[in-house]
Amino acid sequence: MKNVEITGTGRAVPSMVVTNDDLAKIVDTSDEWISTRTGIKQRFFCDKDECANSLAIEAAGKALKDSGLSPEDIGVCICATVSGDFATPSMACMVQRHLGLRENIPSFDINAACSGFLYGIEVARGLLNGTGEKHALIVGCEQLSKLMDMTDRSTCVLFGDGAGAAVITLSDEKVYASTLGTRGGYEIMAYGAGPKPSKLTMQGQDVFKFATSIIPRCIGELSEKSGLGLDDMDKVICHQANERIIDFVIRRLKADPDKFYKNMDRYGNTSAASVPIALDELVKEGDVKRGDLLMMVGFGGGLTWAGAVIRYAGRSTE
Ligand code: UT7
């Protein structure tokens, strides 16, 4: 199998900024509690004229433009989400239609919660190798605000809406590794958006313990598979659930804190969107340049986890 590299990125967030102080007017919480326990200071929620599909289409369009490719070049379209607008048509089908991608390509959604974008990369790599296509468009997109119980302070302060996307391209690149895993359980539960009010629930402490053990395990597996350690990486992007989780991992692995990107202060936890949003920010801010090596780790509902070592080969900072 050939490897893949990242050749374009994009992101989109809705217009409504919701601060911790805004939430303190709705539930018994405070900016102090949310900031110190999670690192989150604000998040974005969709307004009336915004939805998951509109975010996904915007982020995907930006990633495609960034790659310099045309819609006809895309051979696989995958959206990772747990909060799509419809059961069918899928979010990926709407992206295919609105971006004018070819009809003779697979377009479908993946549900692996916060690990979904990284599941998407590995699934797309398999499909590209199997079909002879060269480029895939992968989107991570969530509108979690519509799944949240806004009376439950233990969850409603954590999550946000947003989308991130990347184009990945088959190449002769030697470095690439991935790891995917599952430990089925109900620690994080959400019913789909529908006529009944949805209640997203989470056993926070259990998930915290899971996260702080699974990230080092993923990093270890990726290092073993790629033959490369954290020192060889230019940046590490972990799922942005809680600043304390990332700080714990940095301490445990005695790693360089500057390599671990954090942006949950501005977005909250955007589940499948968190890794590709962080990726796009790093690229657009010039902190990831063409040729850089990235390690990415996702973990969350399912429970699922996923990691990738992948090269950034985009044009943006050429
Ligand atoms: O994306 C999927 C992956 N998800 C995660 O990785 C999340 C992992 N878990 C976490 O990040 C943390 O467990 C949370 C941020 C969810 C919670 O932090 P914690 O330090 O584990 O708090 P806790 O659940 O132990 O609650 C501590 C106290 C409780 O009060 P008592 O029982 O000590 O009186 C809670 O009722 O904090 C209370 N509390 C709050 N207080 C003010 C819970 N939520 C809030 C709140 N504001 N929003």
Side-chain angles (χ1 to χ4, degrees):
M1 278 236 285
K2 277 188 152 193
N3 290 332
V4 285
E5 53 192 15
I6 296 164
T7 48
T9 66
R11 69 179 188 277
V13 289
S15 52
M16 200 196 315
V17 177
V18 180
T19 65
N20 293 346
D21 286 336
D22 292 333
L23 292 175
K25 292 177 194 144
I26 304 171
V27 285
D28 181 14
T29 190
S30 64
D31 175 47
E32 206 263 333
W33 192 95
I34 302 169
S35 304
T36 53
R37 297 276 178 150
T38 70
I40 297 166
K41 293 195 176 303
Q42 63 163 53
R43 72 288 292 142
F44 297 87
F45 283 178
C46 284
D47 217 335
K48 286 182 203 69
D49 57 346
E50 296 165 321
C51 62
N53 280 344
S54 64
L55 293 176
I57 290 163
E58 185 183 340
K62 286 178 176 171
L64 182 61
K65 186 165 183 227
D66 187 50
S67 72
L69 297 168
S70 67
E72 299 81 55
D73 295 321
I74 299 298
V76 174
C77 175
I78 297 176
C79 291
T81 187
V82 298
S83 54
D85 293 332
F86 316 116
T88 192
S90 70
M91 184 181 278
C93 288
M94 300 316 283
V95 169
Q96 181 269 344
R97 175 184 172 140
H98 282 266
L99 266 52
L101 306 184
R102 286 182 354 238
E103 288 186 355
N104 62 336
I105 64 165
S107 300
F108 58 94
D109 292 357
I110 284 184
N111 177 341
C114 314
S115 317
F117 176 76
L118 298 176
Y119 266 62
I121 289 181
E122 182 59 2
V123 170
R125 182 172 83 110
L127 277 168
L128 291 175
N129 273 285
T131 58
E133 296 282 352
K134 196 151 187 245
H135 310 281
L137 184 54
I138 321 289
V139 183
C141 173
E142 304 289 5
Q143 189 185 351
L144 295 170
S145 59
K146 72 186 172 199
L147 300 185
M148 280 163 9
D149 176 355
M150 292 307 289
T151 65
D152 177 6
R153 70 175 181 173
S154 71
T155 53
C156 77
V157 302
L158 303 175
F159 299 99
D161 302 341
V167 174
I168 60 163
T169 298
L170 272 195
S171 82
D172 295 325
E173 167 63 47
K174 299 241 174 348
V175 178
Y176 175 83
S178 80
T179 182
L180 305 176
T182 313
R183 183 189 301 161
Y186 300 101
E187 289 89 342
I188 306 172
M189 286 277 293
Y191 302 97
K196 285 187 189 167
S198 174
K199 285 205 191 312
L200 188 158
T201 60
M202 180 168 69
Q203 291 155 40
Q205 289 190 0
D206 291 343
V207 180
F208 193 97
K209 281 184 208 139
F210 159 71
T212 49
S213 68
I214 210 67
I215 299 174
R217 179 172 146 187
C218 275
I219 291 174
E221 288 174 6
L222 290 171
S223 299
E224 201 173 304
K225 286 182 182 181
S226 65
L228 298 169
L230 283 177
D231 289 346
D232 300 304
M233 299 299 135
D234 293 289
K235 284 285 174 203
V236 181
I237 305 174
C238 293
H239 169 46
Q240 305 286 308
N242 188 326
E243 184 171 30
R244 287 190 294 134
I245 292 174
I246 296 179
D247 289 343
F248 180 97
V249 170
I250 291 168
R251 279 198 305 276
R252 170 135 173 231
L253 300 179
K254 298 186 175 54
D256 175 2
D258 290 343
K259 287 203 177 173
F260 284 70
Y261 192 61
K262 293 181 199 162
N263 67 3
M264 71 286 284
D265 58 329
R266 284 165 287 134
Y267 297 91
N269 178 344
T270 56
S271 190
S274 95
V275 169
I277 286 175
L279 169 67
D280 184 58
E281 275 201 344
L282 280 165
V283 168
K284 299 292 154 61
E285 284 162 19
D287 292 327
V288 163
K289 297 187 176 54
R290 185 177 170 83
D292 279 358
L293 263 188
L294 307 172
M295 187 179 276
M296 305 193 277
V297 179
F299 56 88
L303 300 170
T304 58
W305 60 92
V309 168
I310 188 165
R311 195 170 306 274
Y312 174 72
R315 311 178 316 150
S316 301
T317 49
E318 224 171 355

